Amino acid sequence: MSAKIIDGTAIAAEIREEIRQQVAEMQSRWDRVPGLATVLVGDNTASATYVRMKQKACAEAGIQSFGHELPADASQEEVVGLVSELNANPEVNGILVQLPLPRHLDEEAVLNAISIEKDVDGFHPVNIGRLAMKGRDPLFIPCTPYGVIVLLQKAGIKLSGADAVILGRSNIVGLPVAMLLQKENATVTICHSRTRDLADHLRRADIVIAAIGQTEMVTGDMLKPGAAVIDVGINRKDDPLARRGYRLVGDVDYESAREVAGAITPVPGGVGPMTIAMLLQNTLRAAQIAFDGPR
Ligand code: NDP
């Protein structure tokens, strides 16, 4: 059996086109478009690339973006001061502080400073708290976990009653994915670096979400036949034939897993493009609430 490939690039493109149309409608209805402010502190090359990709995606959707860059030695007061200015700016509907921040900065305090109505990354403790409470209804769902759930839904995977195993318990991926799958009535097991016999858990899973940052650790023999596998991991693997000397692979060994799984996301081209699409979706929602009140 060869798994159905869940094409994140195509699904994200569909979502981005829908957003573009809604932004155009907003423009004609209110003569305003959503605005996203990005905050980049320091000169981390990967972070700068992510911010550029997000700004380009905004431009394609008709969303205005406001880029802010601070030096690597910016003080806590400067970063929080910028966030406060953006909170007060009516043209800015969403604020994205690109993580990780330089080590001398208190990341949690910076995220805390973002107004909850503009927290389009969904990392504000209030948003996470609302996700954790009964009802599980945050104002904004964190983008990567949101993308994971949409991929499963678009692929027609039955979530209610399914046994889901999540590898990883981080604040930005594993934990919110677990809460969202519970909201969808899946039975959730969270595995992490201290879990005994990971494969034993995996072999019982109808749905596997891999978010551990371990190159191709999950192999086909660890999976239940027919399982849906969402690979969040992005890892560099040496490849002398590749232009840069490496290629990107996931936490799942794609070749062996696709022979056993029922559906699987590739890396790249799975969860990655969805993260950006859901950021645009959250920015659109923030603008809708700002222009028209909550729906
Ligand atoms: P973190 O490093 O914050 O968390 C990793 C988690 O995996 C931890 O809970 C850790 O356990 C667990 N873990 C690590 N090694 C093992 C192991 N050998 N067996 C079982 N569990 C293990 O990573 P993130 O959540 O930030 O990211 C995970 C992956 O997803 C990375 O590859 C990252 O690049 C990718 N990513 C992709 C995104 C996308 O848009 N596609 C967005 C964000 C992340 P413990 O808690 O015990 O330490």
Side-chain angles (χ1 to χ4, degrees):
M1 185 175 76
S2 198
K4 166 183 166 177
I5 310 305
I6 306 175
D7 184 346
T9 306
I11 295 171
E14 258 172 49
I15 294 171
R16 283 168 63 166
E17 174 53 23
E18 284 164 19
I19 293 169
R20 195 187 63 75
Q21 289 175 16
Q22 290 185 58
V23 170
E25 276 168 36
M26 276 182 152
Q27 168 81 65
S28 51
R29 186 159 165 210
W30 285 296
D31 199 21
R32 287 178 73 184
V33 294
L36 175 72
T38 57
V39 178
L40 177 64
V41 187
D43 40 23
N44 181 318
T45 321
S47 293
T49 306
Y50 289 137
V51 166
R52 263 199 313 276
M53 284 164 69
K54 289 166 186 176
Q55 289 171 337
K56 182 167 173 278
C58 280
E60 284 169 11
I63 294 174
Q64 205 176 353
S65 62
F66 306 90
H68 293 269
E69 290 178 21
L70 292 174
D73 61 356
S75 67
Q76 182 78 16
E77 291 68 33
E78 279 175 273
V79 181
V80 170
L82 173 59
V83 168
S84 304
E85 268 173 44
L86 297 171
N87 282 340
N89 182 344
E91 283 189 82
V92 171
N93 302 110
I95 301 171
L96 178 133
V97 176
Q98 186 64 45
L99 303 179
L101 290 172
R103 291 179 50 173
H104 67 281
L105 295 171
D106 178 347
E107 209 161 88
E108 200 180 322
V110 172
L111 296 179
N112 244 319
I114 298 175
S115 152
I116 178 172
E117 289 82 18
K118 299 191 180 189
D119 176 36
V120 288
D121 239 353
F123 293 150
H124 192 290
V126 172
N127 262 325
I128 297 288
R130 283 171 66 159
L131 191 57
M133 284 163 77
K134 194 163 183 283
R136 303 192 199 287
D137 194 21
L139 209 46
F140 301 104
I141 302 170
C143 302
T144 301
Y146 194 178
V148 167
I149 299 297
V150 172
L151 281 179
L152 288 167
Q153 288 169 336
K154 294 263 182 189
I157 308 297
K158 189 171 182 295
L159 303 181
S160 182
D163 281 322
V165 167
I166 296 156
L167 305 185
R169 56 178 165 178
S170 73
N171 282 346
I172 63 167
V173 192
L175 200 71
V177 166
M179 294 191 282
L180 289 167
L181 280 170
Q182 285 194 65
K183 180 179 181 178
E184 299 299 328
N185 297 314
T187 303
V188 174
T189 304
I190 304 175
C191 297
H192 44 76
S193 66
R194 313 289 170 88
T195 299
R196 278 184 283 133
D197 204 350
L198 211 65
D200 192 41
H201 291 283
L202 285 171
R203 282 191 201 104
R204 276 181 267 136
D206 304 308
I207 297 170
V208 172
I209 315 293
I212 48 178
Q214 300 290 328
T215 302
E216 297 174 331
M217 206 186 91
V218 177
T219 47
D221 59 319
M222 298 177 182
L223 297 171
K224 176 174 170 177
V229 179
I230 306 290
D231 190 355
V232 186
I234 303 177
N235 309 293
R236 285 182 179 188
K237 184 176 182 185
D238 290 345
D239 181 353
L241 297 178
R243 191 169 46 89
R244 286 178 291 194
Y246 67 86
R247 62 194 167 90
L248 296 179
V249 298
D251 291 340
V252 177
D253 174 37
Y254 186 72
E255 291 308 326
S256 65
R258 67 187 292 198
E259 294 307 316
V260 183
I264 188 167
T265 56
V267 177
V271 177
M274 292 299 288
T275 299
I276 293 187
M278 302 335 287
L279 172 68
L280 301 184
Q281 183 79 61
N282 279 346
T283 306
L284 177 72
R285 177 170 154 77
Q288 277 165 344
I289 294 171
F291 300 171
D292 199 20
R295 297 180 177 186

